[in-house]
Amino acid sequence: MNDHHDHDSCACGHQHGTIAEATDSTGRTLLLTMGLNLLIPLCQIVGGVWAQSMAVVSDAIHNLSDFTSLTVAYFAHRLGRRNPSSEFTFGYRRAEVLAALFNISILFGACLFILFEAASRLRNPEPVSGGLVMILAGIGILGNGLSVLFLRKEAGHSLNMRGAMLHMLADLMTSVVVLLNGFVLLYRPWYWLDPVLSVVIVGFILKNSWSILKQAARILMEGTPPGIDLTEMQRALEAVPGVLSAHHLHVWSIGSGHLSFSCHIMVPDQALSETEPLDSKLREILAGRFNVSHAVFQFEQSACGENDILCRMRGSRSGSAHA
């Protein structure tokens, strides 16, 4: 029984400069976006209280929570760059998952506050300055629009940054809704519309938060990542000449965009050195077709026991070919 492990060979050393540049660029982008998402919501909160608009205040609180989220994401990004150690052999990539859970708890708290204030305003509507609401919403549109532009470049090579960009885009849309609310208030004294829109904004926040929560839970539970078909992976491996069967397939996420994989590969009886070309071919397939960055293969010459549930994960193709 032979084990082959991926040691992240230094043969790829010529790529280190590019990776470092992308990482530094990500850090700078996060810092710049953090600055915007601190200044603008502070202005919105002060102006929203002045205009007595819960829609503006709720939008501002959401944007302020974005600053907290970006701050946590930044430090998680910095921590994730640390090298693996004997204590954390996979490194610190899952720091971003813990950061996501922390940010979700902040968003839930903000939503409770907004709902409480909105219910109070529905019982006792107060006059709202439509013109000031439009100005403050315009500030939010400007800030969120710039944030989207800053994050757009980084989103091309980072799932985490892509999610941040989509979050800023959602905030941009929310600010547009608040702007429309201000426009309506200029011509109609529909003061009930302000808290109603606040509830709509909460619904939008919770919808996005639930999606992030599910992704974080799947990673922590080491579930099969979305878009990965184990049967397809098995067939791809078993189609390689020299592979009799593949079983005990496991695939999980270390963090966003970093997939790990392990399985048992049954091969004809041979010396360990003779499996090296096969090992390289299997890694090439996993990296190219399934974006697996870390793979562990256990080569063996005998089939596993019939009572092993995981071992039964053989497709109909391999079962008929190797019965």
Side-chain angles (χ1 to χ4, degrees):
M1 192 177 297
N2 305 325
D3 292 336
H4 277 216
H5 301 271
D6 182 3
H7 297 292
D8 298 328
S9 173
C10 291
C12 298
H14 64 280
Q15 297 178 351
H16 292 348
T18 302
I19 296 174
E21 290 173 5
T23 304
D24 292 340
S25 176
T26 298
R28 290 193 298 269
T29 300
L30 282 171
L31 285 174
L32 185 58
T33 310
M34 284 164 55
L36 278 174
N37 283 272
L38 175 62
L39 178 62
I40 290 175
L42 290 179
C43 294
Q44 285 183 311
I45 289 176
V46 173
V49 172
W50 184 271
Q52 300 190 65
S53 171
M54 267 309 299
V56 172
V57 173
S58 63
D59 185 30
I61 290 176
H62 185 200
N63 290 334
L64 191 59
S65 70
D66 290 342
F67 167 75
T68 306
S69 300
L70 289 167
T71 302
V72 174
Y74 175 75
F75 285 106
H77 162 74
R78 298 280 298 183
L79 181 61
R81 295 175 61 189
R82 297 179 60 180
N83 294 325
S85 64
S86 59
E87 186 175 1
F88 295 95
T89 56
F90 276 105
Y92 299 81
R93 297 187 186 279
R94 283 193 176 171
E96 66 174 350
V97 180
L98 298 178
L101 292 176
F102 177 77
N103 290 329
I104 291 299
S105 65
I106 294 177
L107 282 175
F108 283 163
C111 287
L112 288 176
F113 171 77
I114 294 171
L115 288 175
F116 177 81
E117 288 297 322
S120 177
R121 291 295 180 91
L122 282 172
R123 290 193 299 267
N124 302 292
E126 298 182 16
V128 178
S129 173
L132 185 53
V133 167
M134 292 184 68
I135 293 174
L136 295 171
I139 295 175
I141 291 173
L142 176 63
N144 290 319
L146 288 175
S147 296
V148 169
L149 290 177
F150 293 151
L151 295 172
R152 184 177 180 181
K153 180 181 179 181
E154 303 298 331
H157 57 77
S158 169
L159 182 61
N160 187 37
M161 296 296 284
R162 194 178 309 143
M165 186 196 73
L166 291 176
H167 199 66
M168 294 296 105
L169 185 59
D171 293 342
L172 175 62
M173 295 170 61
T174 301
S175 295
V176 171
V177 171
V178 175
L179 180 68
L180 294 176
N181 172 49
F183 180 77
V184 171
L185 291 174
L186 289 177
Y187 301 97
R188 293 287 188 273
W190 295 348
Y191 301 129
W192 54 265
L193 183 60
D194 190 86
V196 168
L197 287 176
S198 298
V199 175
V200 173
I201 293 172
V202 166
F204 193 80
I205 295 172
L206 290 178
K207 181 179 181 295
N208 289 324
S209 298
W210 178 247
S211 176
I212 296 173
L213 182 61
K214 287 195 300 182
Q215 293 177 12
R218 180 183 286 269
I219 291 176
L220 292 178
M221 293 294 292
E222 297 191 341
T224 302
I228 295 295
D229 186 336
L230 281 179
T231 301
E232 182 183 353
M233 296 183 80
Q234 182 184 36
R235 289 174 178 170
L237 295 176
E238 292 181 340
V240 177
V243 174
L244 299 180
S245 69
H247 51 272
H248 275 79
L249 277 71
H250 298 278
V251 58
W252 67 98
S253 296
I254 301 300
S256 296
H258 297 276
L259 303 185
S260 290
F261 175 86
S262 70
C263 79
H264 290 197
I265 300 292
M266 186 175 174
V267 296
D269 192 9
Q270 58 191 288
L272 174 63
S273 59
E274 295 177 1
T275 63
E276 290 291 344
L278 179 59
D279 178 88
S280 299
K281 181 62 177 179
L282 295 176
R283 293 183 191 283
E284 180 182 342
I285 291 175
L286 290 176
R289 291 182 55 180
F290 302 100
N291 197 32
V292 172
S293 56
H294 179 90
V296 176
F297 301 113
Q298 179 171 307
F299 292 97
E300 55 191 21
Q301 288 81 44
S302 60
C304 53
E306 290 299 324
N307 293 326
D308 192 328
I309 295 177
L310 289 175
C311 193
R312 295 180 194 175
M313 292 184 60
R314 298 186 179 182
S316 58
R317 175 182 176 277
S318 63
S320 60
H322 307 293

